[in-house]
């Protein structure tokens, strides 16, 4: 399986062997060339002394110089010829000295020619070996580069594109037998992992669809009898079938409240199922933002009065393109939560303004105990509520904020919260599509007194 590594190792080893052999033969050639140069220099020195012996015979210094070569000349015939020259010089025989020098020069000329030829051979050999080493190095680099690109980088680039397609939900894979190397093994592992993930996703989608179908069925089946139960409780409270004593009325009232809570839970579950199924249509139209918020405040007067909380609204004469009922549902959810968490005699304030992106910004500001930073990232998830020593769990499903976020995002806006423990909370969301309400007075009407409850 380790084909790429093996090929690269083999070609690197071959290149190293070639370079080593070239370096070895180059070293030997260099040593041979060095020896030839030394011999040529020696021949030049001998010729200089012979010239002196010819021009100025029988000088002791010359005899001393010639005697220094005795026993050091190779091959043997040179040493013999040099001994004859030294003998003739010692005898001071001009004729014999001249003949001996002539014979030595004749042999030396042949040898010098031979040495020069060998010198040229060594020089050519060294140059050739240098070319071979350089060519081997370049070919090795070129082969490794091309092979690495074709066997590693190009397949990795293709695999990376497939990974990006997988992340962008554009994954397509036509089965093929991958190459038997490291990259092929990586490709095979990725596609196996991708297929497993896709299979798990399909299984999760199937389970999610089954869950949504169950919620729809259960919600529809529960809502009808609960509506009948609520109607029956109202009839009993109104004395339709006879006078009801005070204790019974209290019990019937508790039953009606809990029935309403169950109906709200069922409605929230139905909304959640529609959101998750992508079947959450909006019926958007232009309407007055002031009217939407004012109607919401009026609907919450009873809850605010029970909690002894004051409601306040700073209105804006704007027209917004929204699904009126759904946005009112968002504001109702945020304000009812603010009322639940507010202290007695506290104030829940609603403010509408323009943010930095020129979107309508609606803020619900309370004076409660605030939300811890770790809870702020969780409260918009399904079935999650802020809880802690300063925020005991309030009765609810934990679906309201998740549904509110889905509604706001369907309108193209954003929802969030700013809060510090002990300093209250500010829930906010934006609506991007708006225009001025030309039918309203030019001067904005600010309700400083608010809606008291």
């Amino acid at each position: 399986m380790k084909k790429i590594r093996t090929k690269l190792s083999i070609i690197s080893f071959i290149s190293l062997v070639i370079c080593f052999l070239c370096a070895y033969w180059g070293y030997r050639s260099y040593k041979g060339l060095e020896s030839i140069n030394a011999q040529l220099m020696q021949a030049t020195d001998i010729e200089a002394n012979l010239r002196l012996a010819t021009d100025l015979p029988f000088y002791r210094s010359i005899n001393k110089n010639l005697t220094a070569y005795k026993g050091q000349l190779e091959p043997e015939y040179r040493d013999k010829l040099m001994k004859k020259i030294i003998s003739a010089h010692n005898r001071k025989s001009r004729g014999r000295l001249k003949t001996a020098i002539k014979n030595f020069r004749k042999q030396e000329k042949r040898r010098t020619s031979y040495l020069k030829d060998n010198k040229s051979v060594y020089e050519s050999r060294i140059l050739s070996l240098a070319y071979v080493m350089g060519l081997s190095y370049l070919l090795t680099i070129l082969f490794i580069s091309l092979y690495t690109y074709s066997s590693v980088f190009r397949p990795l680039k293709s695999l990376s594109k497939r990974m990006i397609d997988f992340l962008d939900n554009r994954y397509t894979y036509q089965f093929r037998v991958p190459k038997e190397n490291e990259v092929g093994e990586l490709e095979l592992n990725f596609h196996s992992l991708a297929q497993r993930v896709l299979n798990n996703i399909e299984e999760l989608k199937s389970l999610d669809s089954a869950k949504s179908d169950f919620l729809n069925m259960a919600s529809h089946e529960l809502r009808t009898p609960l509506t009948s139960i609520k109607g029956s409780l109202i009839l009993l409270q109104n004395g339709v079938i006879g006078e009801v004593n005070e204790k019974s009325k209290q019990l019937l009232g508790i039953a009606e409240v809990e029935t309403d809570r169950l109906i709200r839970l069922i409605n929230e579950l139905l909304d959640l199922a529609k959101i998750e199924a992508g079947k959450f249509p909006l019926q958007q139209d232009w309407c007055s933002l002031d009217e939407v918020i004012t109607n919401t405040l009026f609907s919450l007067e009873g809850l605010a009065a029970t909690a002894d909380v004051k409601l306040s609204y700073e209105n804006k004469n704007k027209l917004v393109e929204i699904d009126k009922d759904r946005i009112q549902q968002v504001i109702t959810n945020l304000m009812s939560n603010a009322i639940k968490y507010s202290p007695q005699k506290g104030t829940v304030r609603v403010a509408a303004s323009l943010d930095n992106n020129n979107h309508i910004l609606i803020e619900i500001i309370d004076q409660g105990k605030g939300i811890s930073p770790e809870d702020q990232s969780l409260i918009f998830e399904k079935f999650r509520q802020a809880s802690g020593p300063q925020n005991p769990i309030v009765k609810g499903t934990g679906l309201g904020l998740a549904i509110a976020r889905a509604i706001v995002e369907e309108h193209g806006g954003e929802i969030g919260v700013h809060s510090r423990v002990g300093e209250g909370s500010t829930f906010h969301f934006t609506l991007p599509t708006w225009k001025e309400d030309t039918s309203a007075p030019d001067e904005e009407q600010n309700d400083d007194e608010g809606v008291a409850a």
Side-chain angles (χ1 to χ4, degrees):
M1 292 296 288
K2 309 302 181 184
K3 194 173 182 181
I4 295 177
R5 186 188 306 172
T6 302
K7 281 190 174 182
L8 291 177
S9 300
I10 290 174
I11 192 65
S12 299
F13 177 75
I14 292 174
S15 177
L16 286 174
V17 169
I18 292 174
C19 290
F20 175 78
L21 291 176
C22 289
Y24 174 74
W25 286 109
Y27 175 77
R28 293 196 60 179
S29 298
Y30 172 76
K31 285 295 184 182
L33 182 62
E34 195 177 49
S35 175
I36 289 175
N37 286 330
Q39 293 181 58
L40 288 174
M41 288 181 65
Q42 184 188 59
T44 302
D45 291 341
I46 292 173
E47 177 61 28
N49 285 302
L50 291 178
R51 191 175 293 111
L52 289 174
T54 303
D55 297 337
L56 302 170
F58 313 130
Y59 274 77
R60 289 184 180 180
S61 58
I62 296 174
N63 185 53
K64 184 179 179 181
N65 291 339
L66 293 175
T67 305
Y69 294 115
K70 187 178 179 180
Q72 295 185 7
L73 299 180
E74 292 182 356
E76 188 178 351
Y77 74 87
R78 294 177 71 222
D79 192 57
K80 289 181 178 180
L81 290 173
M82 180 58 69
K83 288 179 179 179
K84 290 181 179 181
I85 293 173
I86 295 170
S87 176
H89 196 277
N90 289 333
R91 293 180 181 181
K92 298 181 180 181
S93 173
R94 288 181 179 274
R96 293 181 62 185
L97 178 60
K98 190 174 183 179
T99 301
I101 290 174
K102 183 179 179 181
N103 291 336
F104 185 88
R105 281 177 171 169
K106 184 178 179 181
Q107 295 297 328
E108 199 69 4
K109 183 178 180 181
R110 294 177 182 173
R111 185 171 181 277
T112 300
S113 177
Y114 170 77
L115 289 174
K116 287 181 177 180
D117 290 341
N118 279 350
K119 180 181 178 181
S120 299
V121 171
Y122 279 123
E123 288 176 342
S124 299
R125 183 183 299 172
I126 291 173
L127 188 61
S128 299
L129 290 172
Y131 283 145
V132 171
M133 284 184 66
L135 185 61
S136 173
Y137 179 77
L138 290 176
L139 289 176
T140 302
I141 295 298
L142 182 62
F143 175 82
I144 291 177
S145 299
L146 294 176
Y147 181 74
T148 304
Y149 174 77
S150 62
S151 299
V152 179
F153 293 111
R154 187 167 61 185
L156 284 179
K157 184 178 180 180
S158 175
L159 183 59
S160 177
K161 183 178 181 301
R162 289 179 181 272
M163 290 179 176
I164 293 173
D165 290 342
F166 179 77
L167 294 175
D168 293 339
N169 296 322
R170 300 195 309 268
Y171 177 75
T172 55
Y173 177 61
Q174 296 179 349
F175 179 78
R176 65 175 185 177
V177 178
K179 295 181 179 180
E180 294 185 0
N181 55 36
E182 294 90 338
V183 178
E185 185 178 356
L186 178 63
E187 181 181 358
L188 183 62
N189 291 336
F190 165 70
H191 289 301
S192 298
L193 177 63
Q195 290 298 331
R196 182 174 298 180
V197 170
L198 291 175
N199 292 337
N200 289 339
I201 290 174
E202 291 299 322
E203 185 178 350
L204 289 174
K205 285 182 178 179
S206 177
L207 292 174
D208 189 64
S209 177
K211 180 203 71 175
S212 298
D213 292 342
F214 171 76
L215 286 176
N216 280 324
M217 180 188 68
S219 299
H220 282 295
E221 294 299 323
L222 287 172
R223 187 161 55 176
T224 301
L226 281 174
T227 304
S228 300
I229 292 171
K230 181 180 179 181
S232 300
L233 291 172
I234 293 173
L235 291 175
L236 287 173
Q237 283 182 301
N238 293 335
V240 173
I241 61 174
E243 196 66 31
V244 180
N245 59 41
E246 194 64 30
K247 184 66 175 176
S248 298
K249 282 185 178 181
Q250 291 179 357
L251 293 175
L252 290 172
I254 293 173
E256 184 183 358
V257 170
E258 294 302 316
T259 302
D260 286 336
R261 193 164 71 87
L262 284 174
I263 291 174
R264 286 197 302 272
L265 170 60
I266 291 169
N267 289 334
E268 288 178 346
L269 288 173
L270 283 172
D271 287 341
L272 180 64
K274 290 177 183 178
I275 291 170
E276 292 181 342
K279 299 176 181 178
F280 197 69
L282 298 176
Q283 298 179 355
Q284 293 179 265
D285 199 2
W286 290 101
C287 60
S288 170
L289 176 63
D290 180 62
E291 180 185 346
V292 173
I293 297 177
T294 302
N295 290 340
T296 305
L297 264 64
F298 279 128
S299 69
L300 292 170
E301 283 186 356
L303 178 62
T306 303
D308 193 13
V309 173
K310 181 181 177 181
L311 302 181
S312 172
Y313 168 48
E314 301 170 8
N315 66 333
K316 289 281 184 181
N317 295 321
K318 308 291 184 185
L319 293 179
V320 287
E321 188 178 19
I322 57 172
D323 186 321
K324 182 177 178 180
D325 293 335
R326 292 300 185 185
I327 292 300
Q328 190 165 340
Q329 180 182 353
V330 172
I331 300 173
T332 299
N333 182 279
L334 296 178
M335 290 197 66
S336 61
N337 284 345
I339 293 170
K340 290 176 186 177
Y341 286 102
S342 291
Q344 290 184 342
K345 305 299 182 181
T347 299
V348 173
R349 185 162 56 90
V350 183
S353 60
L354 294 178
D355 66 3
N356 295 332
N357 296 320
N358 202 34
H359 294 170
I360 292 290
L361 174 67
I362 300 173
E363 297 175 297
I364 291 86
I365 307 158
D366 64 47
Q367 298 173 333
K369 295 182 179 180
I371 304 172
S372 63
E374 57 270 18
D375 283 336
Q376 291 180 32
S377 60
L378 301 176
I379 56 177
F380 289 99
E381 296 181 9
K382 295 178 291 186
F383 306 107
R384 302 299 292 267
Q385 290 178 297
S387 61
Q390 72 279 0
N391 284 325
I393 294 178
V394 178
K395 285 185 178 181
T397 62
L399 292 175
L401 290 179
I403 294 172
R405 181 175 67 178
I407 294 173
V408 171
E409 290 177 350
E410 283 292 318
H411 282 80
E414 297 178 351
I415 191 170
V417 60
H418 297 302
S419 181
R420 295 182 66 179
V421 176
E423 298 183 10
S425 303
T426 299
F427 283 82
H428 56 86
F429 67 93
T430 59
L431 298 172
T433 309
W434 64 277
K435 63 183 179 180
E436 295 291 345
D437 187 358
T438 55
S439 63
D442 294 337
E443 185 180 353
E444 292 184 354
Q445 301 174 354
N446 292 322
D447 186 6
D448 296 333
E449 294 297 324
V451 180

